[in-house]
Amino acid sequence: LTAKNFLGHASSKEVTSEKLDYPAPVVSIQGANPRETTYSDELVLRVDAALPKMSCVSDSLSDAKMDYVWTEATGKYTGSLSTTNPRILRIAAEQLQATESYEFQCFVALTSNPDNNNTASVVVDVKQQPIIAKIAGGKERTSGTDQDLVLDAGDSVDPDGMSSAWEYAWSCINATDGTACLGVDGSSALSISPNSTNVIARLDAGTMSE
């Protein structure tokens, strides 16, 4: 190909294409590309492969046996790619890291002639999930004014399994009228236990009223 502008400047590009004397299999991975998943979900990829319907393809080749090889192109995934059904790749939950992207490929070749092959690929984006905050003991509880009230958020969950340090910020409002607890700022009405993660909040006896 030679392209020339009105000033007479030209540039050329050459591409070599080798045409095979036999049809290559048509290969595709079902679903959207790119694909989205999460750390806590199993990923299932299914590949479709067949020789094209052509008059030059004999009946024996149209049902020819094919071999399937799955790979991951970025090198970020180092887990198992073994399959019980060669057309289906299953990646177990908690194997793909949140915020990362992976590219899975399936190489398909005729068993009788491996040079007759084709490849399909799909990009998989692993989306980050919201933190799940939990307070032990259920949503509601009863406590007398003569008792300490201890709130423990240690069961809070990061569904992405990230190793980042946790931060906790406690606050308190009167559920009846929406005012700050004891008429002061909610956070100051909570006595946080002396630990680095602030995972436990304590309201001392005598500080609560109806």
Side-chain angles (χ1 to χ4, degrees), residues 48-71:
D48 292 326
L51 287 175
K53 297 184 181 299
M54 301 172 61
S55 59
C56 62
V57 179
S58 67
D59 291 339
S60 61
L61 275 181
S62 63
D63 296 324
K65 183 178 180 182
M66 298 185 188
D67 294 327
Y68 300 80
V69 179
W70 289 92
T71 57

Side-chain angles (χ1 to χ4, degrees), residues 127-147:
K127 297 300 182 179
Q128 196 164 17
Q129 302 172 91
I131 297 294
I132 301 174
K134 295 183 178 182
I135 299 176
K139 187 176 181 180
E140 296 182 3
R141 73 191 64 186
T142 301
S143 180
T145 59
D146 59 339
Q147 298 174 309

